[in-house]
Amino acid sequence: MPGNETGNLDAFINTLPDPQAAHAFLKRLEGSSSFLLEKNTQLLYHVLTLAGYSPFLAETLLRHPEHIGWLKGETEHNFDRVKSTEQLSEELARFVTRMIEADDPTRLVRFKRRELLRIYLRDCLSVATLSEVTEELSNLADVILRHALARANQEMVNLHGRPLTHSARGRMQNAEFAIVALGKLGCRELNYSSDIDLLFLYSGDGDTSGDGRARESVISNKEFFTGVAERVVRMIGKSTDEGAVYRIDLRLRPHGRDGDLVWEVNRASDYYRSIAHNWERQALIRARLSAGSESVVTRFILTVRDVIFTPEAVPGTMDAVRRAKEKIDMKQAARARGFNVKLGPGGIREIEFIAQALQLKHGGREPWVRSAQTLIVLARLAEKHYLTEAERARLSAAYTFLRTVEHRLQMEHGAQTHTLPAARPRLQLLARRCGYTQTDDPVAQFTSELEKHTAAVRAVYDRVFDETGDSQPPGEIGRGPAIEAEGVDDETERLVKQTASRLEKAIRVLSPKASDSSLISVLASALPSAINPLRSLRNLSAWAESLATHTGEQFQATGQVVDARDLPLLIQRMILVLSSQYLAHLLVSRPGLATALIEGDSPIDETEFLPFLSAEVDREPDLASKADALRRAWYRLVIAIGHKDLSAVRGPLSVDEGKLIPRNAQQRTALYKRQASEHLRGINLAQTALAEAVLRIALRIALESIGIAIDQQGRLSLAILGLGRLGHAGMDYGSDLDLLIVFDDEQPWPPPVLAQVRGGAQWNNPQEFYAKVTAHLVHVLSSITREGLLYRSDLRLRPEGKSGPVAVGLGGLIAYLVSRASSWEHSAYLKAREVAGDLDFGRRARDRICEASFEAASRNSSLREELRVMRARIAKEKTRGNRPNIKWGTGGMADVYFVTRYLQLRDRIYFPPELGTTALIKHLGELGALDEEAARSLFEGYTFLRTLDHWMRLLLDRPSPVLPTSTIALQDISQALGLPSAEILEETFAQHTAAIRAVYDQVFGS
């Protein structure tokens, strides 16, 4: 470019939020598009604007430079208006026709990305309003769904003919299908990275026509439309090299995840009229047709409208909306890493809940306020004086501001995020992308605006929900004496009173004869036992709300009724265990499980697990009921173990003369060994015993399902061997079951027992038979039913991994170990231990596996190098980001595993009688395979890491080997460990992992 033009370009780039990104983009762009940009300064400025606002779209342009020429035409002809769905449909049809080499998901994701270029450019240049941006994004989603539906429907018609049903007059007609949009798509307020909430409906039951095809091609309408819906979900949700088109969320359908994928319109209407929760009806405020039959959706909306908007507001409507928001707050608080513009206090969700709550309260009498779009609803609520004009103006301004921030966050990397960055440089970049460029301190200006808007929203939110007058005043139970616990702050006191009020309404379901004792005093006295009192209170409120949805008859029918005298004890124990997000999830989703906390309700001694589970299962008449009974009983034992676990937690003060736990690492280690190691080992053994009991009953159910009775099972030489944590008796919350299914392939086939089984002759060989048994076993263990999930089963450690048979003959397994297995497999198989099935055969199998692994290792001159390379590869594959990984990271538990297993294989060292890695470390030290210092470092470090892992599993929502970033989470874990602060926790972690890595380097070479 000439000098003057170059100067103008540099000046323009410096006005962008990220000049450095714009310059880097310009250098990477080559070829014909560069020539096109040199001839068109305006187009160049537009492209650089996208690069300065969105690295995500910059990469799209670099990957598909042909889009630059398209963007030129768009800015010249289609830049000043919102594209209609008709125009987008025509453009999509032309686009997919030109891309015959790509599959449907790839075509659709590329079309979506191309349209985002135009939409986001209009957004960044303020050519479009917020409402226009969200409308265009919603139109784009509708058009893509319509295309996917047309393709999916035609594929099913080609296979099965047309779906037919009877009209109201009895005439045969085509059945119709509709995709109902809910959530942000439903109200035409989709953001750049929204999930799309969908509901699939069809007009009537019947069968397909077949149209001259074989009779087998005729299927029911429900099967037909299920196939259509599944194809749509795959087409839209499948991940391609360029990502998925949209993430589809179907959890708002009747019965949520447990419900059918597609619903006949009358059945769906009946559900919402008679069964659905208030929040499910609230979701229908935004329901509209996205694709398919308009008549189906119109019919559905007309039949459910009167249960959404009632002439008189349903009592407790505002309370229900507020509780839904507080449940969101509870989840957000547990994982918060920074301010969330959607879910945080004063955020987008609070504005939406204000609008929807007032709609639900007044919409029955005032149809004018029933609009789905938030800004329109706020205006109409103000017109009818349900909001003041000042409140409307503040909420509208805040909504526009927060949605703009949300859009800038999401379009940085095309990710679904709502959380402000913590690092100041990134926050400064966000502020500039939001328009704060005319100041020396954009962060301060942005933060000030954010605080102003969120405070305004929170003030209206509090006013709306505090002045409703429809929440019932607490009775005598809720009006206990004032909270006198030392150190209870205002927030805690508020939550105590709120929780007591909700408990009062709910506990009569659990205990019909409950007396009006003071819940406030019970709650206040229980709080000191909780690791996180506020989390316990919030979770207890959620549990009470869940409990209130169950009827007393349901609990009485299952025997889950609590004596009124036990209620204080129950509540105290609930406060203790509900600091655990893992246990809270179980209790809130299954409120009747709380009775497992009453003393004597469930056995704690692991020797009683098997008879307890067997007794519960044996009460049921059929196999499906037995599997569900096993799940229900298992959950009760998990809750009982969790209570026992949390009851042993010590606070941040040491028991040693009331002094703070010492900062000195060696003194702290001694404390861990005294207070943590023995307790953790007991919990691991209990969890392992529970898993073994479940496996034995699950195997019994699996064999019974193919006709082999309990008294015949011993005549099958079949053993289930545990590997990993199960093999080493180290099971914990959320652990998978690493299994190896072994049978005696030296026995004559078929065994006599199969001759007595109906249809037993069909099993031609043991491989086929035992594979069938394994499939039934995994189904019992790992299928997700209405009663939940037992364990995730992992069979990948079998010979040949995923490509090998799921059940293996012992002779074949030994041959594999001797001739083809890797050193990594040899080290993994050392943990094999018989846990279910024929235990005598299992013990023989374990011994032969151990000998074969030792024999193969003794002939492997590259044993140490192979294990070292495997450890490095695992670390590379398993660790992401810069947060410490306690299992796979440097100095993590995997280092300990590799060191100990290598020394076992190298020196042919058998496991000691006591199971577990700490016992093995001691054993290796006693035998001289590890020197005294190395053995101490591994023992102390591994004890610390396993204890840390244990409390992360119990206190956090789901198992993860990565140390959390949340300060609150780290403080909770520190308290459970007996450490005074999160800083000491991270310091101690660093010391132990460094010591472990030093031993690893000593053994394997640095």
Side-chain angles (χ1 to χ4, degrees), residues 228-277:
V228 170
E230 288 172 342
R231 282 166 167 78
V232 170
V233 170
R234 283 198 298 270
M235 202 180 306
I236 301 298
K238 177 183 176 182
S239 181
T240 71
D241 290 342
E242 299 178 45
V245 189
Y246 293 101
R247 293 174 299 274
I248 295 181
D249 192 338
L250 303 173
R251 291 175 294 176
L252 289 177
R253 68 185 188 267
H255 297 298
R257 289 189 178 96
D258 295 328
D260 293 335
L261 183 62
V262 300
W263 282 76
E264 193 274 331
V265 66
N266 290 327
R267 287 181 57 238
S269 299
D270 290 342
Y271 174 87
Y272 286 104
R273 294 185 65 83
S274 59
I275 299 174
H277 298 293

Short mmCIF file of all heavy atoms in Angstrom, two decimals, residues 228-277:
data_model
loop_
_atom_site.label_atom_id
_atom_site.label_comp_id
_atom_site.label_asym_id
_atom_site.label_seq_id
_atom_site.Cartn_x
_atom_site.Cartn_y
_atom_site.Cartn_z
N VAL A 228 -36.97 -39.80 13.14
CA VAL A 228 -36.79 -38.46 12.60
C VAL A 228 -36.03 -37.58 13.60
O VAL A 228 -35.04 -36.90 13.25
CB VAL A 228 -38.15 -37.82 12.26
CG1 VAL A 228 -37.98 -36.34 11.92
CG2 VAL A 228 -38.82 -38.55 11.10
N ALA A 229 -36.49 -37.60 14.85
CA ALA A 229 -35.85 -36.76 15.87
C ALA A 229 -34.40 -37.15 16.09
O ALA A 229 -33.52 -36.28 16.24
CB ALA A 229 -36.63 -36.87 17.18
N GLU A 230 -34.12 -38.45 16.13
CA GLU A 230 -32.73 -38.89 16.33
C GLU A 230 -31.84 -38.41 15.20
O GLU A 230 -30.69 -38.01 15.42
CB GLU A 230 -32.69 -40.41 16.44
CG GLU A 230 -33.26 -40.95 17.75
CD GLU A 230 -33.38 -42.47 17.76
OE1 GLU A 230 -33.35 -43.08 16.65
OE2 GLU A 230 -33.54 -43.04 18.85
N ARG A 231 -32.35 -38.43 13.96
CA ARG A 231 -31.56 -37.96 12.83
C ARG A 231 -31.32 -36.45 12.92
O ARG A 231 -30.22 -35.97 12.61
CB ARG A 231 -32.28 -38.31 11.52
CG ARG A 231 -32.10 -39.77 11.11
CD ARG A 231 -33.08 -40.17 10.00
NE ARG A 231 -32.72 -41.45 9.40
CZ ARG A 231 -32.96 -42.63 9.95
NH1 ARG A 231 -33.57 -42.69 11.13
NH2 ARG A 231 -32.59 -43.74 9.34
N VAL A 232 -32.33 -35.70 13.34
CA VAL A 232 -32.16 -34.26 13.51
C VAL A 232 -31.10 -33.97 14.56
O VAL A 232 -30.20 -33.13 14.37
CB VAL A 232 -33.49 -33.59 13.89
CG1 VAL A 232 -33.27 -32.14 14.32
CG2 VAL A 232 -34.48 -33.65 12.73
N VAL A 233 -31.18 -34.69 15.69
CA VAL A 233 -30.22 -34.46 16.78
C VAL A 233 -28.81 -34.78 16.32
O VAL A 233 -27.86 -34.04 16.61
CB VAL A 233 -30.61 -35.30 18.00
CG1 VAL A 233 -29.50 -35.26 19.06
CG2 VAL A 233 -31.92 -34.80 18.60
N ARG A 234 -28.65 -35.88 15.57
CA ARG A 234 -27.31 -36.23 15.09
C ARG A 234 -26.80 -35.19 14.09
O ARG A 234 -25.63 -34.79 14.13
CB ARG A 234 -27.33 -37.62 14.43
CG ARG A 234 -27.35 -38.78 15.40
CD ARG A 234 -26.93 -40.06 14.71
NE ARG A 234 -27.83 -40.43 13.63
CZ ARG A 234 -28.91 -41.19 13.78
NH1 ARG A 234 -29.23 -41.66 14.97
NH2 ARG A 234 -29.67 -41.49 12.74
N MET A 235 -27.66 -34.76 13.20
CA MET A 235 -27.25 -33.81 12.16
C MET A 235 -26.84 -32.47 12.77
O MET A 235 -25.85 -31.86 12.36
CB MET A 235 -28.40 -33.61 11.16
CG MET A 235 -27.98 -33.10 9.80
SD MET A 235 -29.38 -32.89 8.67
CE MET A 235 -30.14 -34.50 8.73
N ILE A 236 -27.58 -32.03 13.76
CA ILE A 236 -27.31 -30.72 14.36
C ILE A 236 -26.24 -30.80 15.44
O ILE A 236 -25.43 -29.89 15.60
CB ILE A 236 -28.61 -30.13 14.95
CG1 ILE A 236 -29.68 -29.98 13.87
CG2 ILE A 236 -28.34 -28.80 15.63
CD1 ILE A 236 -29.32 -29.04 12.76
N GLY A 237 -26.24 -31.90 16.20
CA GLY A 237 -25.36 -31.99 17.36
C GLY A 237 -24.05 -32.71 17.14
O GLY A 237 -23.18 -32.71 18.01
N LYS A 238 -23.89 -33.35 15.95
CA LYS A 238 -22.66 -34.10 15.70
C LYS A 238 -21.46 -33.17 15.62
O LYS A 238 -21.50 -32.13 14.98
CB LYS A 238 -22.80 -34.87 14.39
CG LYS A 238 -21.53 -35.65 14.00
CD LYS A 238 -21.70 -36.32 12.65
CE LYS A 238 -20.42 -37.02 12.22
NZ LYS A 238 -20.55 -37.64 10.88
N SER A 239 -20.38 -33.58 16.26
CA SER A 239 -19.15 -32.78 16.23
C SER A 239 -18.38 -33.07 14.94
O SER A 239 -18.07 -34.21 14.64
CB SER A 239 -18.28 -33.10 17.44
OG SER A 239 -17.11 -32.31 17.44
N THR A 240 -18.09 -32.03 14.17
CA THR A 240 -17.29 -32.14 12.96
C THR A 240 -15.91 -31.55 13.22
O THR A 240 -15.62 -31.09 14.33
CB THR A 240 -17.96 -31.39 11.79
OG1 THR A 240 -17.84 -29.97 12.04
CG2 THR A 240 -19.43 -31.77 11.67
N ASP A 241 -15.08 -31.52 12.20
CA ASP A 241 -13.76 -30.89 12.35
C ASP A 241 -13.89 -29.41 12.69
O ASP A 241 -12.96 -28.80 13.21
CB ASP A 241 -12.95 -31.04 11.05
CG ASP A 241 -12.52 -32.47 10.81
OD1 ASP A 241 -12.54 -33.25 11.78
OD2 ASP A 241 -12.19 -32.81 9.66
N GLU A 242 -15.05 -28.82 12.38
CA GLU A 242 -15.27 -27.40 12.65
C GLU A 242 -16.28 -27.19 13.77
O GLU A 242 -16.83 -26.11 13.92
CB GLU A 242 -15.72 -26.70 11.36
CG GLU A 242 -14.68 -26.80 10.25
CD GLU A 242 -15.13 -26.16 8.94
OE1 GLU A 242 -15.66 -25.03 8.99
OE2 GLU A 242 -14.94 -26.78 7.89
N GLY A 243 -16.50 -28.23 14.56
CA GLY A 243 -17.43 -28.14 15.67
C GLY A 243 -18.82 -28.63 15.29
O GLY A 243 -19.07 -29.09 14.17
N ALA A 244 -19.74 -28.55 16.24
CA ALA A 244 -21.14 -28.92 16.00
C ALA A 244 -21.92 -27.69 15.57
O ALA A 244 -21.51 -26.55 15.83
CB ALA A 244 -21.75 -29.52 17.26
N VAL A 245 -23.06 -27.92 14.91
CA VAL A 245 -23.89 -26.79 14.51
C VAL A 245 -24.46 -26.12 15.76
O VAL A 245 -24.28 -24.92 15.98
CB VAL A 245 -25.03 -27.25 13.58
CG1 VAL A 245 -25.75 -26.03 12.99
CG2 VAL A 245 -24.51 -28.14 12.47
N TYR A 246 -25.15 -26.89 16.59
CA TYR A 246 -25.66 -26.41 17.87
C TYR A 246 -25.59 -27.55 18.88
O TYR A 246 -25.63 -28.73 18.52
CB TYR A 246 -27.14 -25.97 17.78
CG TYR A 246 -27.38 -24.75 16.92
CD1 TYR A 246 -27.87 -24.88 15.64
CD2 TYR A 246 -27.14 -23.47 17.41
CE1 TYR A 246 -28.11 -23.78 14.84
CE2 TYR A 246 -27.37 -22.36 16.62
CZ TYR A 246 -27.85 -22.51 15.34
OH TYR A 246 -28.07 -21.41 14.56
N ARG A 247 -25.48 -27.18 20.16
CA ARG A 247 -25.70 -28.15 21.23
C ARG A 247 -27.21 -28.20 21.48
O ARG A 247 -27.83 -27.17 21.74
CB ARG A 247 -24.97 -27.75 22.50
CG ARG A 247 -23.45 -27.79 22.38
CD ARG A 247 -22.80 -27.24 23.64
NE ARG A 247 -23.19 -25.86 23.86
CZ ARG A 247 -22.58 -24.81 23.32
NH1 ARG A 247 -21.55 -24.99 22.54
NH2 ARG A 247 -23.00 -23.59 23.57
N ILE A 248 -27.79 -29.38 21.43
CA ILE A 248 -29.24 -29.53 21.61
C ILE A 248 -29.51 -30.01 23.03
O ILE A 248 -28.93 -30.98 23.51
CB ILE A 248 -29.82 -30.51 20.58
CG1 ILE A 248 -29.67 -29.94 19.17
CG2 ILE A 248 -31.28 -30.82 20.88
CD1 ILE A 248 -30.22 -30.83 18.08
N ASP A 249 -30.42 -29.33 23.70
CA ASP A 249 -30.82 -29.67 25.07
C ASP A 249 -32.27 -30.13 25.03
O ASP A 249 -33.17 -29.35 24.68
CB ASP A 249 -30.65 -28.46 25.99
CG ASP A 249 -30.77 -28.84 27.46
OD1 ASP A 249 -31.37 -29.89 27.77
OD2 ASP A 249 -30.28 -28.08 28.30
N LEU A 250 -32.50 -31.40 25.39
CA LEU A 250 -33.85 -31.96 25.35
C LEU A 250 -34.40 -32.22 26.75
O LEU A 250 -35.40 -32.91 26.91
CB LEU A 250 -33.83 -33.28 24.56
CG LEU A 250 -33.31 -33.17 23.12
CD1 LEU A 250 -33.18 -34.55 22.51
CD2 LEU A 250 -34.24 -32.31 22.28
N ARG A 251 -33.76 -31.66 27.77
CA ARG A 251 -34.16 -31.96 29.15
C ARG A 251 -35.47 -31.33 29.56
O ARG A 251 -36.03 -31.68 30.60
CB ARG A 251 -33.05 -31.52 30.11
CG ARG A 251 -31.79 -32.35 30.01
CD ARG A 251 -30.69 -31.81 30.88
NE ARG A 251 -30.26 -30.49 30.43
CZ ARG A 251 -29.36 -29.75 31.07
NH1 ARG A 251 -28.83 -30.17 32.19
NH2 ARG A 251 -29.01 -28.58 30.60
N LEU A 252 -36.00 -30.39 28.77
CA LEU A 252 -37.27 -29.76 29.12
C LEU A 252 -38.46 -30.56 28.61
O LEU A 252 -39.60 -30.15 28.80
CB LEU A 252 -37.33 -28.34 28.56
CG LEU A 252 -36.42 -27.32 29.26
CD1 LEU A 252 -36.50 -25.97 28.58
CD2 LEU A 252 -36.77 -27.19 30.73
N ARG A 253 -38.24 -31.70 27.97
CA ARG A 253 -39.36 -32.53 27.54
C ARG A 253 -40.00 -33.20 28.76
O ARG A 253 -39.40 -33.25 29.84
CB ARG A 253 -38.88 -33.60 26.56
CG ARG A 253 -37.96 -34.68 27.15
CD ARG A 253 -37.48 -35.58 26.04
NE ARG A 253 -36.75 -36.75 26.50
CZ ARG A 253 -35.44 -36.82 26.64
NH1 ARG A 253 -34.71 -35.73 26.39
NH2 ARG A 253 -34.84 -37.93 27.03
N PRO A 254 -41.23 -33.69 28.64
CA PRO A 254 -41.88 -34.36 29.77
C PRO A 254 -41.01 -35.46 30.37
O PRO A 254 -40.45 -36.28 29.65
CB PRO A 254 -43.16 -34.92 29.15
CG PRO A 254 -43.48 -33.97 28.04
CD PRO A 254 -42.14 -33.56 27.48
N HIS A 255 -40.88 -35.44 31.69
CA HIS A 255 -40.07 -36.38 32.46
C HIS A 255 -38.58 -36.23 32.22
O HIS A 255 -37.79 -37.07 32.64
CB HIS A 255 -40.49 -37.84 32.19
CG HIS A 255 -41.88 -38.16 32.60
ND1 HIS A 255 -42.32 -38.07 33.90
CD2 HIS A 255 -42.95 -38.56 31.86
CE1 HIS A 255 -43.61 -38.41 33.96
NE2 HIS A 255 -44.02 -38.71 32.74
N GLY A 256 -38.17 -35.14 31.55
CA GLY A 256 -36.76 -34.85 31.40
C GLY A 256 -35.99 -35.96 30.70
O GLY A 256 -36.46 -36.54 29.72
N ARG A 257 -34.79 -36.26 31.21
CA ARG A 257 -33.94 -37.27 30.57
C ARG A 257 -34.60 -38.64 30.52
O ARG A 257 -34.29 -39.45 29.66
CB ARG A 257 -32.60 -37.39 31.32
CG ARG A 257 -31.67 -36.20 31.16
CD ARG A 257 -30.32 -36.53 31.76
NE ARG A 257 -29.36 -35.45 31.59
CZ ARG A 257 -29.11 -34.54 32.53
NH1 ARG A 257 -29.76 -34.57 33.67
NH2 ARG A 257 -28.21 -33.59 32.32
N ASP A 258 -35.49 -38.92 31.47
CA ASP A 258 -36.13 -40.22 31.51
C ASP A 258 -37.31 -40.33 30.57
O ASP A 258 -37.89 -41.40 30.40
CB ASP A 258 -36.61 -40.54 32.95
CG ASP A 258 -35.44 -40.66 33.92
OD1 ASP A 258 -34.38 -41.11 33.48
OD2 ASP A 258 -35.62 -40.33 35.09
N GLY A 259 -37.74 -39.22 29.98
CA GLY A 259 -38.93 -39.22 29.15
C GLY A 259 -38.65 -39.65 27.72
O GLY A 259 -37.51 -39.73 27.27
N ASP A 260 -39.73 -39.97 26.99
CA ASP A 260 -39.60 -40.32 25.58
C ASP A 260 -39.02 -39.16 24.80
O ASP A 260 -39.23 -37.99 25.14
CB ASP A 260 -40.97 -40.68 25.00
CG ASP A 260 -41.54 -41.96 25.60
OD1 ASP A 260 -40.74 -42.80 26.06
OD2 ASP A 260 -42.77 -42.11 25.61
N LEU A 261 -38.35 -39.48 23.69
CA LEU A 261 -37.76 -38.44 22.86
C LEU A 261 -38.83 -37.63 22.15
O LEU A 261 -38.72 -36.41 21.99
CB LEU A 261 -36.79 -39.06 21.86
CG LEU A 261 -36.02 -38.11 20.95
CD1 LEU A 261 -35.12 -37.19 21.79
CD2 LEU A 261 -35.18 -38.89 19.95
N VAL A 262 -39.89 -38.30 21.68
CA VAL A 262 -40.98 -37.62 20.98
C VAL A 262 -42.28 -37.88 21.72
O VAL A 262 -42.46 -38.93 22.34
CB VAL A 262 -41.09 -38.09 19.50
CG1 VAL A 262 -39.82 -37.80 18.75
CG2 VAL A 262 -41.42 -39.57 19.42
N TRP A 263 -43.21 -36.93 21.62
CA TRP A 263 -44.47 -37.01 22.37
C TRP A 263 -45.65 -36.73 21.46
O TRP A 263 -45.65 -35.73 20.73
CB TRP A 263 -44.47 -36.01 23.54
CG TRP A 263 -43.64 -36.51 24.68
CD1 TRP A 263 -42.28 -36.53 24.76
CD2 TRP A 263 -44.13 -37.10 25.88
NE1 TRP A 263 -41.89 -37.09 25.94
CE2 TRP A 263 -42.99 -37.45 26.66
CE3 TRP A 263 -45.39 -37.35 26.39
CZ2 TRP A 263 -43.10 -38.04 27.91
CZ3 TRP A 263 -45.51 -37.94 27.64
CH2 TRP A 263 -44.37 -38.29 28.38
N GLU A 264 -46.65 -37.63 21.52
CA GLU A 264 -47.93 -37.37 20.86
C GLU A 264 -48.56 -36.17 21.56
O GLU A 264 -48.51 -36.04 22.77
CB GLU A 264 -48.81 -38.61 20.94
CG GLU A 264 -50.03 -38.57 20.04
CD GLU A 264 -51.19 -37.87 20.71
OE1 GLU A 264 -51.29 -37.91 21.95
OE2 GLU A 264 -52.00 -37.27 19.97
N VAL A 265 -49.15 -35.26 20.80
CA VAL A 265 -49.51 -33.95 21.32
C VAL A 265 -50.51 -34.04 22.48
O VAL A 265 -50.41 -33.28 23.45
CB VAL A 265 -50.02 -33.05 20.17
CG1 VAL A 265 -51.34 -33.57 19.60
CG2 VAL A 265 -50.15 -31.61 20.63
N ASN A 266 -51.45 -34.97 22.43
CA ASN A 266 -52.41 -35.09 23.53
C ASN A 266 -51.76 -35.59 24.81
O ASN A 266 -52.09 -35.13 25.91
CB ASN A 266 -53.56 -36.02 23.13
CG ASN A 266 -54.46 -35.40 22.08
OD1 ASN A 266 -54.66 -34.18 22.05
ND2 ASN A 266 -55.00 -36.21 21.19
N ARG A 267 -50.84 -36.53 24.66
CA ARG A 267 -50.12 -37.04 25.84
C ARG A 267 -49.27 -35.94 26.46
O ARG A 267 -49.18 -35.82 27.69
CB ARG A 267 -49.24 -38.23 25.47
CG ARG A 267 -50.01 -39.52 25.18
CD ARG A 267 -49.08 -40.67 24.84
NE ARG A 267 -48.13 -40.90 25.91
CZ ARG A 267 -46.80 -40.86 25.77
NH1 ARG A 267 -46.28 -40.57 24.58
NH2 ARG A 267 -46.01 -41.10 26.78
N ALA A 268 -48.61 -35.16 25.62
CA ALA A 268 -47.80 -34.05 26.13
C ALA A 268 -48.68 -33.05 26.87
O ALA A 268 -48.32 -32.56 27.95
CB ALA A 268 -47.05 -33.38 24.98
N SER A 269 -49.84 -32.73 26.30
CA SER A 269 -50.76 -31.79 26.94
C SER A 269 -51.20 -32.31 28.29
O SER A 269 -51.26 -31.56 29.29
CB SER A 269 -51.97 -31.54 26.04
OG SER A 269 -51.58 -31.00 24.80
N ASP A 270 -51.53 -33.60 28.36
CA ASP A 270 -51.96 -34.20 29.64
C ASP A 270 -50.86 -34.09 30.68
O ASP A 270 -51.13 -33.84 31.86
CB ASP A 270 -52.33 -35.67 29.44
CG ASP A 270 -53.62 -35.84 28.66
OD1 ASP A 270 -54.40 -34.86 28.57
OD2 ASP A 270 -53.85 -36.95 28.13
N TYR A 271 -49.61 -34.29 30.26
CA TYR A 271 -48.49 -34.19 31.21
C TYR A 271 -48.41 -32.79 31.80
O TYR A 271 -48.31 -32.62 33.03
CB TYR A 271 -47.18 -34.54 30.50
CG TYR A 271 -45.96 -34.32 31.36
CD1 TYR A 271 -45.50 -35.30 32.21
CD2 TYR A 271 -45.27 -33.10 31.33
CE1 TYR A 271 -44.38 -35.09 33.02
CE2 TYR A 271 -44.16 -32.88 32.12
CZ TYR A 271 -43.72 -33.88 32.96
OH TYR A 271 -42.63 -33.67 33.77
N TYR A 272 -48.46 -31.78 30.96
CA TYR A 272 -48.32 -30.41 31.46
C TYR A 272 -49.54 -29.97 32.25
O TYR A 272 -49.43 -29.13 33.15
CB TYR A 272 -48.05 -29.45 30.30
CG TYR A 272 -46.64 -29.56 29.77
CD1 TYR A 272 -46.38 -30.22 28.57
CD2 TYR A 272 -45.56 -29.06 30.49
CE1 TYR A 272 -45.08 -30.34 28.09
CE2 TYR A 272 -44.27 -29.18 30.02
CZ TYR A 272 -44.03 -29.83 28.82
OH TYR A 272 -42.75 -29.96 28.36
N ARG A 273 -50.67 -30.55 31.97
CA ARG A 273 -51.88 -30.16 32.71
C ARG A 273 -51.97 -30.83 34.07
O ARG A 273 -52.58 -30.27 34.99
CB ARG A 273 -53.12 -30.49 31.88
CG ARG A 273 -53.23 -29.67 30.59
CD ARG A 273 -54.54 -29.96 29.87
NE ARG A 273 -55.68 -29.51 30.67
CZ ARG A 273 -56.13 -28.27 30.70
NH1 ARG A 273 -55.55 -27.35 29.94
NH2 ARG A 273 -57.15 -27.93 31.45
N SER A 274 -51.39 -32.02 34.21
CA SER A 274 -51.65 -32.78 35.44
C SER A 274 -50.41 -33.17 36.23
O SER A 274 -50.50 -33.38 37.44
CB SER A 274 -52.43 -34.06 35.10
OG SER A 274 -51.70 -34.86 34.18
N ILE A 275 -49.25 -33.30 35.58
CA ILE A 275 -48.08 -33.85 36.26
C ILE A 275 -46.95 -32.84 36.41
O ILE A 275 -46.24 -32.85 37.41
CB ILE A 275 -47.56 -35.09 35.48
CG1 ILE A 275 -48.63 -36.18 35.43
CG2 ILE A 275 -46.28 -35.64 36.10
CD1 ILE A 275 -48.25 -37.38 34.56
N ALA A 276 -46.77 -31.99 35.44
CA ALA A 276 -45.58 -31.14 35.36
C ALA A 276 -45.42 -30.25 36.59
O ALA A 276 -46.41 -29.83 37.22
CB ALA A 276 -45.64 -30.26 34.11
N HIS A 277 -44.17 -29.96 36.93
CA HIS A 277 -43.86 -29.00 37.98
C HIS A 277 -44.13 -27.58 37.48
O HIS A 277 -44.22 -27.34 36.27
CB HIS A 277 -42.39 -29.11 38.39
CG HIS A 277 -42.02 -30.45 38.96
ND1 HIS A 277 -42.51 -30.91 40.15
CD2 HIS A 277 -41.20 -31.42 38.48
CE1 HIS A 277 -42.01 -32.11 40.41
NE2 HIS A 277 -41.21 -32.44 39.39
#
